[in-house]
Amino acid sequence: MKKFFVISALLLAASLFTVSAEERGYKYEYQESNLTYKNVIVYKVLDHRDAYVVMYAKGHREVGNVTIPKKWYKESPHKLAFRPLPAGMSPYMTVLYKSGEFSQVILTMPVNRGDSTWGIADSNVQVDANKDTFDIVY
């Protein structure tokens, strides 16, 4: 008898909530987000004076290189962000797009700069640290 009473009370409460939501005009519509993202595996990040040079997995057997200006980390809104790498995972890079346009790049990397994923780029090599766009080939 107790089970019947509890079940009927729950059904009554659910129906009252539905009726009150309809009376207030709540509508639950599906809205597609204008944000998309792409993740790629990172093999190495070379720290340069003005930028980070990221070597990432491109396709099945190729390695791609992309330069990320360090100034993006300091600008507002941030175009560059870092996340600590969770245990047991490989480093990766997430590229966010808003309405098909580049928005932000997030590097998920080991916190310890002594890790083999981190490296130092030759300071004599010229990198494009003044760019405002992010062009990457997957």
Side-chain angles (χ1 to χ4, degrees), residues 34-89:
N34 65 346
L35 288 175
T36 56
Y37 69 94
K38 185 81 170 177
N39 287 331
V40 292
I41 296 171
V42 170
Y43 295 129
K44 195 131 185 115
V45 175
L46 301 176
D47 192 355
H48 189 270
R49 178 179 59 245
D50 300 321
Y52 296 103
V53 179
V54 180
M55 297 164 53
Y56 65 94
K58 176 178 141 182
H60 294 287
R61 290 181 234 153
E62 298 179 48
V63 176
N65 293 320
V66 68
T67 304
I68 305 171
K70 286 185 176 180
K71 69 178 184 175
W72 287 5
Y73 184 75
K74 297 173 187 170
E75 290 178 347
S76 184
H78 296 292
K79 288 185 180 180
L80 171 62
F82 289 94
R83 284 188 292 210
L85 181 68
M89 292 187 70

Side-chain angles (χ1 to χ4, degrees), residues 8 11 29 32 37 61 69 81 88 101-102 104 110 126 132:
S8 62
L11 289 174
E29 294 181 18
E32 189 171 322
Y37 69 94
R61 290 181 234 153
E101 297 290 324
F102 167 73
Q104 185 182 35
Q126 297 295 322
D132 290 323

Side-chain angles (χ1 to χ4, degrees), residues 84-92 108 110 115:
L85 181 68
M89 292 187 70
S90 298
Y92 64 96
T108 306
D115 188 88

